[in-house]
Amino acid sequence: MDLGSTWQLILQRIQIDISAQTFETWFSQTKLLEIKDGVAKIACKNTFIVQTLETRYYNLIQNTLADIHGEKLNLIFLSLPDMIITSSVKSSAKSSLQAKAQSTLISTHEENENLEEIRELAIKRSNLNPKYSFDNYIVGSSNRLAHAAATAVAEKPAAAYNPLFFYGGVGLGKTHLIQAIGHFVLSVNPKTKILYTSLETMLNEFLSAIQERKTNEFKNKYRQLDILIVDDIQFISGKDALQEEFFNTFNVLYQSNKQIIIASDRPPSEISRLEDRIRSRFEGGMIADINAPEYETKVAILTRKLEEKKASLPSAVIGVIAENVESNVRELEGALSKILTYYSISDTPLSLDDIEKILKRDKKNQKKEIKPRDIIKKVSQSFSVSEEELLGQIRTKSIATARQVAMYLMKKELGITLMQIASYLKRQDHTTIIHGIDKIESEIAKNREFKDQIIEIRKSLGE
Ligand code: ADP
Ligand code: MG
């Protein structure tokens, strides 16, 4: 038997063991390259598929291969994106599809349409935005782990990681990713009861449920779900009653083996005024961070967005945009639209310099980049303590307050982690920082003069 037919046979058998969606995702773009010296080499379309097959399907492939080949082989997976590897598989997929079609000759078309309708309804009911799927989510080193965790959970809800907790800065693709999980699950099984919601929406519902004495309805709504997806959970900070309710709902879902998916702008350890028992629930599952995309990923995202818009730009221009927009994907999209507009309205093509200028001007108009040093300096000046004192161990009231203000401003202005703040301010651990920030927040809330002082410092930072 030649390699092509062997692989086709193997895929047909594997297809029986896993869902159609899983098969399509991981196996449809693979090819058996050679069998030699007890080793089988398998080509895959990308490294992500390589990793998945290696970590999750190694045994399945090895055993199936052994059945057919008669000998247990070691497997090596290679990422060979350029190779045309669809032919053998597609034909096998097609032939089994054709077989199915023949056996059910009647009204497949209608059934498919119904299925589409059911899916669309399911998406609406789940409150998912059709825009956010895995298909248009670009994977790079900044989000690889998060994406892998997301696909694992999408394929086997409540079996892989539960809860699944994503965190990362604004505009980095958290909402997109958690919704993609929902879409994937619905595409496999439109009957799954999924709800995507934000913590804020949940809070509003909760408050009106209390007012209207309908807390039971609120409870039921969330507790009958198969998958609960909560976005921007950080806003739960300090909402004690909701925390109580959330904790109970979490337990009901978790104990009945339902999936919980959460997104946050910071890790559980850094959500202040959060009950420990909830924090430890969050930490009991999988926590995956999403970082700012690096150059290659930015280029890939821009290229993809252009395809979606059915537009094009010279690759040098794409490169300039990727270089000049640093932090997040939302800004990247904004810059792209802007440059496209310039392109469409100007008669002569823009030079790369022009483009760089436009993007730089945008950046300047935004805020000046603030550094930890600036904060330490301005806070010391404002509170008349020296920088050494601020970074030292003395705890007189004025020094301690200045220190806590620096913690607070670093969190607000720099959006860095508590660990990083602790290290900039030479503190032992991040609980000191949480405490400090809380202290300043409550002081700002009750002391007008203090609040004005903070506003002044913030202003001076932007100058
Ligand atoms: P967050 O929830 O982290 O603030 P979003 O999920 O809202 O970020 O993402 C902001 C925008 O960037 C959305 O339009 C989203 O589709 C897009 N985006 C983010 N990450 C990616 C990615 N890896 N691939 C494609 N688009 C992305
Ligand atoms: Mg979001």
Side-chain angles (χ1 to χ4, degrees):
M1 204 180 342
D2 65 18
L3 292 171
S5 324
T6 306
W7 195 236
Q8 203 159 324
L9 253 178
I10 290 170
L11 292 180
Q12 276 167 9
R13 293 215 187 159
I14 288 177
Q15 229 168 349
I16 302 170
D17 287 332
I18 59 183
S19 77
Q21 192 75 44
T22 309
F23 181 83
E24 187 60 34
T25 313
W26 306 122
F27 290 90
S28 69
Q29 315 226 35
T30 55
K31 182 181 179 178
L32 182 58
L33 287 181
E34 71 169 21
I35 296 182
K36 208 173 131 191
D37 306 329
V39 175
K41 285 191 185 152
I42 297 153
C44 308
K45 198 182 156 209
N46 58 46
T47 52
F48 188 52
I49 296 180
V50 169
Q51 281 168 14
T52 307
L53 293 184
E54 232 160 32
T55 50
R56 279 196 272 150
Y57 296 105
Y58 193 98
N59 289 338
L60 177 65
I61 299 171
Q62 193 181 42
N63 294 336
T64 317
L65 186 56
D67 280 348
I68 287 164
H69 184 73
E71 181 192 357
K72 205 156 190 162
L73 300 164
N74 289 316
L75 309 180
I76 294 180
F77 298 94
L78 305 163
S79 162
L80 297 171
D82 295 331
M83 190 180 279
I84 311 294
I85 44 182
T86 41
S87 57
S88 69
V89 189
K90 275 277 154 64
S91 65
S92 92
K94 214 187 265 160
S95 62
S96 76
L97 262 186
Q98 272 163 359
K100 261 188 217 151
Q102 268 158 13
S103 68
T104 50
L105 261 176
I106 0 155
S107 70
T108 0
H109 183 63
E110 233 166 67
E111 269 173 27
N112 279 344
E113 266 189 357
N114 278 342
L115 210 61
E116 263 324 295
E117 235 170 66
I118 294 175
R119 244 174 232 144
E120 268 172 35
L121 271 176
I123 290 172
K124 275 205 194 110
R125 207 179 41 223
S126 308
N127 195 23
L128 294 167
N129 181 336
K131 258 185 13 196
Y132 296 143
S133 70
F134 282 129
D135 295 339
N136 58 2
Y137 194 79
I138 304 291
V139 184
S141 55
S142 53
N143 58 16
R144 193 177 311 282
L145 172 73
H147 179 261
T151 49
V153 165
E155 279 178 48
K156 285 204 166 137
Y161 311 111
N162 204 11
L164 175 57
F165 190 108
F166 296 105
Y167 75 91
V170 66
L172 295 184
K174 302 181 296 293
T175 298
H176 189 140
L177 198 56
I178 56 179
Q179 294 214 18
I181 302 176
H183 281 296
F184 187 99
V185 174
L186 288 182
S187 73
V188 179
N189 182 2
K191 295 210 177 105
T192 316
K193 287 187 220 131
I194 302 182
L195 184 67
Y196 165 86
T197 184
S198 70
L199 197 279
E200 268 183 304
T201 309
M202 226 174 155
L203 178 65
N204 291 336
E205 278 177 17
F206 181 60
L207 295 178
S208 46
I210 292 176
Q211 250 173 16
E212 294 163 23
R213 296 172 197 280
K214 286 184 180 161
T215 46
N216 270 336
E217 277 169 36
F218 178 89
K219 282 189 213 300
N220 292 339
K221 171 174 173 181
Y222 287 95
R223 294 178 189 186
Q224 48 86 32
L225 293 169
D226 298 313
I227 301 183
L228 171 62
I229 308 176
V230 185
D231 209 346
D232 289 318
I233 193 97
Q234 71 273 7
F235 294 123
I236 202 169
S237 162
K239 317 283 186 316
D240 296 343
L242 183 62
Q243 287 191 17
E244 169 82 28
E245 181 55 37
F246 186 84
F247 181 73
N248 293 329
T249 300
F250 185 104
N251 288 340
V252 170
L253 291 176
Y254 185 84
Q255 276 154 17
S256 41
N257 218 11
K258 309 297 187 184
Q259 178 72 47
I260 299 139
I261 301 165
I262 293 165
S264 163
D265 71 350
R266 63 198 79 175
S269 60
E270 299 189 2
I271 301 176
S272 66
R273 289 175 292 161
L274 177 67
E275 280 183 41
D276 280 340
R277 55 183 188 163
I278 299 181
R279 198 188 315 277
S280 75
R281 286 289 187 284
F282 289 166
E283 286 169 345
M286 165 79 160
I287 300 184
D289 61 343
I290 303 184
N291 297 296
E294 71 298 353
Y295 181 78
E296 286 76 17
T297 311
K298 284 192 274 188
V299 169
I301 291 175
L302 288 167
T303 309
R304 175 71 201 216
K305 301 284 169 192
L306 280 169
E307 276 170 23
E308 281 170 20
K309 290 176 194 283
K310 302 211 179 356
S312 70
L313 284 173
S315 61
V317 175
I318 297 178
V320 171
I321 302 176
E323 262 168 28
N324 282 282
V325 180
E326 265 149 40
S327 49
N328 83 48
V329 182
R330 198 172 286 135
E331 278 171 28
L332 206 57
E333 288 180 337
L336 181 66
S337 301
K338 183 152 198 174
I339 298 301
L340 278 174
T341 313
Y342 272 98
Y343 253 75
S344 66
I345 54 175
S346 63
D347 301 329
T348 49
L350 296 172
S351 73
L352 295 182
D353 272 354
D354 292 338
I355 292 170
E356 207 168 335
K357 264 185 216 140
I358 295 169
L359 296 172
K360 286 240 163 79
R361 196 172 62 213
D362 271 4
K363 234 197 264 175
K364 236 189 261 149
N365 286 343
Q366 284 164 12
K367 265 197 278 163
K368 169 186 157 220
E369 195 193 338
I370 298 164
K371 304 206 176 55
R373 281 234 65 81
D374 304 330
I375 293 181
I376 294 172
K377 196 168 131 205
K378 299 282 183 192
V379 171
S380 306
Q381 286 168 357
S382 175
F383 284 86
S384 309
V385 304
S386 73
E387 292 183 26
E388 291 77 57
E389 282 170 329
L390 198 138
L391 300 176
Q393 297 307 323
I394 302 169
R395 289 201 212 163
T396 59
K397 183 146 192 293
S398 61
I399 297 176
T401 305
R403 209 172 272 148
Q404 289 169 338
V405 168
M407 295 171 188
Y408 170 84
L409 288 175
M410 283 189 181
K411 187 74 221 171
K412 295 284 170 200
E413 297 287 340
L414 309 178
I416 55 180
T417 66
L418 297 176
M419 299 293 193
Q420 285 167 315
I421 297 178
S423 108
Y424 284 126
L425 293 173
K426 304 201 180 353
R427 297 297 110 186
Q428 287 293 328
D429 68 325
H430 70 280
T431 50
T432 322
I433 312 291
I434 295 181
H435 174 71
I437 295 172
D438 273 358
K439 198 83 184 288
I440 297 306
E441 277 176 351
S442 61
E443 191 62 26
I444 288 175
K446 60 181 188 235
N447 182 341
R448 183 70 223 210
E449 217 173 296
F450 185 74
K451 184 177 173 184
D452 289 342
Q453 187 179 3
I454 303 294
I455 293 173
E456 275 312 306
I457 303 174
R458 285 186 99 155
K459 263 199 228 146
S460 74
L461 283 169
E463 284 159 4

